[in-house]
Amino acid sequence: MSGQSLLVPGKLSPTRSVPGNIRRPEYVGKPAPTPYTGPEVQTPETIEAMRLAGRIAARAMEEAAKLIAPGVTTDELDKVAHEYMCDHGAYPSTLGYRGFPKSLCSSVNEVICHGIPDSTVLRDGDIVNLDVTAYIGGVHGDNNATYLVGEVDEESRLLVERTREALNRAIKAVKPGRQINIIGRVIESYAKRFGYGVVRDFTGHGINSSFHSGLIVPHYDSPHATTVMQPGMTFTIEPMLTLGTHEYDMWDDGWTVVTKDRRRTAQFEHTLVVTDTGADILTLP
């Protein structure tokens, strides 16, 4: 494994502005979103709107990822994604969500999720996850991926590759009539082949007009995840696999989640809709 030193918080840049003509999610400026009370199964019109939101989120993530290289700050990546979404009429969903200060999450090395872009400089051998969500047309599209920075050690590279494969296998397991815990069962059984930890306390989620609808999609085999998948249901799958423990600590910022043993972790995510025969990915560029 890489001998990189552990991360420390960097300095935040000023809050980026969003043009006034771009529609804001209802939670912006509030301490928390209004709880979602609508259905998990969405109309064809909502699904098509989510496909647009998902495409913008995926392309914003791609644009930011083009910059990834040793010497680049995570704040620079945030700036690219922010400007891409605004230029395409979308609001960066994370900006102002429960007070989150930036337009994407950038999670480096031992950060499981929710890392805040700042003056942190990417180093040769790092891995970094970018998590981008776009809001447009009254709905959200949410995706993330883990990228290699320069020359990365084999252990980290395999972790990233296998986490991507875990997501792909989970997507293939989505079928109407199946309980949602099949998703976690597939991910966990695959991860165990390599001795990886599977993060339990941060999960996939229902998504639609609400960023997080209340539907929980565990990435381990949970006996409680008995919701039956139906055509038209929309949710994310976003496995977080670790080289060591699945247990975590949280930084004082209330967002940045790091592995308790400070070993590396990777994550991939798509927003999906259940179809009559399987799943359709809504976050394709």
Side-chain angles (χ1 to χ4, degrees), residues 46-47 49-60 85 90-94 131-136 138-144 205 207-211 235-236 269-272 282-284:
T46 297
I47 292 165
M50 290 180 66
R51 197 182 303 278
L52 172 61
R55 186 182 306 127
I56 291 172
R59 288 178 176 170
M85 285 185 273
Y91 186 91
S93 300
T94 59
D131 193 337
V132 180
T133 310
Y135 177 80
I136 188 171
V139 296
H140 301 268
D142 185 3
N143 69 160
N144 76 55
H205 53 89
I207 183 170
N208 37 65
S209 60
S210 172
F211 195 170
F235 53 81
T236 72
E269 173 187 23
H270 275 305
T271 295
L272 314 167
L282 299 178
T283 39
L284 292 176

Side-chain angles (χ1 to χ4, degrees), residues 7 31 47 139 147 165 197 219 225 231 245 252 256 270 276:
L7 287 171
I47 292 165
V139 296
Y147 299 90
E165 176 63 15
H219 302 122
T245 183
D252 291 343
T256 306
H270 275 305
D276 291 335

Side-chain angles (χ1 to χ4, degrees), residues 45-228:
E45 292 76 20
T46 297
I47 292 165
E48 285 311 302
M50 290 180 66
R51 197 182 303 278
L52 172 61
R55 186 182 306 127
I56 291 172
R59 288 178 176 170
M61 185 173 72
E62 277 192 343
E63 288 302 307
K66 289 176 183 176
L67 236 68
I68 291 174
V72 173
T73 68
T74 53
D75 187 66
E76 290 174 86
L77 304 179
D78 181 79
K79 180 175 186 288
V80 171
H82 176 93
E83 290 179 352
Y84 185 93
M85 285 185 273
C86 291
D87 287 348
H88 291 81
Y91 186 91
S93 300
T94 59
L95 185 62
Y97 179 78
R98 297 183 181 270
F100 192 84
K102 293 295 173 182
S103 298
L104 58 72
C105 299
S106 56
S107 301
V108 180
N109 296 344
E110 69 269 22
V111 180
I112 294 171
C113 58
H114 304 158
I116 300 173
D118 58 18
S119 62
T120 296
V121 176
L122 296 176
R123 302 162 297 180
D124 188 61
D126 283 344
I127 61 174
V128 57
N129 178 274
L130 302 184
D131 193 337
V132 180
T133 310
Y135 177 80
I136 188 171
V139 296
H140 301 268
D142 185 3
N143 69 160
N144 76 55
T146 303
Y147 299 90
L148 310 181
V149 184
E151 292 295 319
V152 174
D153 67 273
E154 181 77 353
E155 186 178 42
S156 298
R157 188 186 62 77
L158 285 172
L159 174 68
V160 171
E161 190 177 290
R162 290 164 176 167
T163 305
R164 183 192 290 111
E165 176 63 15
L167 172 60
N168 291 339
R169 288 174 180 234
I171 291 170
K172 289 175 183 172
V174 173
K175 295 281 191 298
R178 288 180 170 177
Q179 291 185 345
I180 218 155
N181 59 8
I182 186 68
I183 293 168
R185 190 174 310 140
V186 165
I187 292 168
E188 188 172 43
S189 64
Y190 179 70
K192 278 184 174 178
R193 288 167 48 181
F194 310 104
Y196 295 154
V198 180
V199 173
R200 301 167 78 90
D201 290 346
F202 300 89
T203 67
H205 53 89
I207 183 170
N208 37 65
S209 60
S210 172
F211 195 170
H212 300 87
S213 73
L215 175 68
I216 301 298
V217 183
H219 302 122
Y220 64 98
D221 188 5
S222 169
H224 307 296
T226 56
T227 300
V228 174

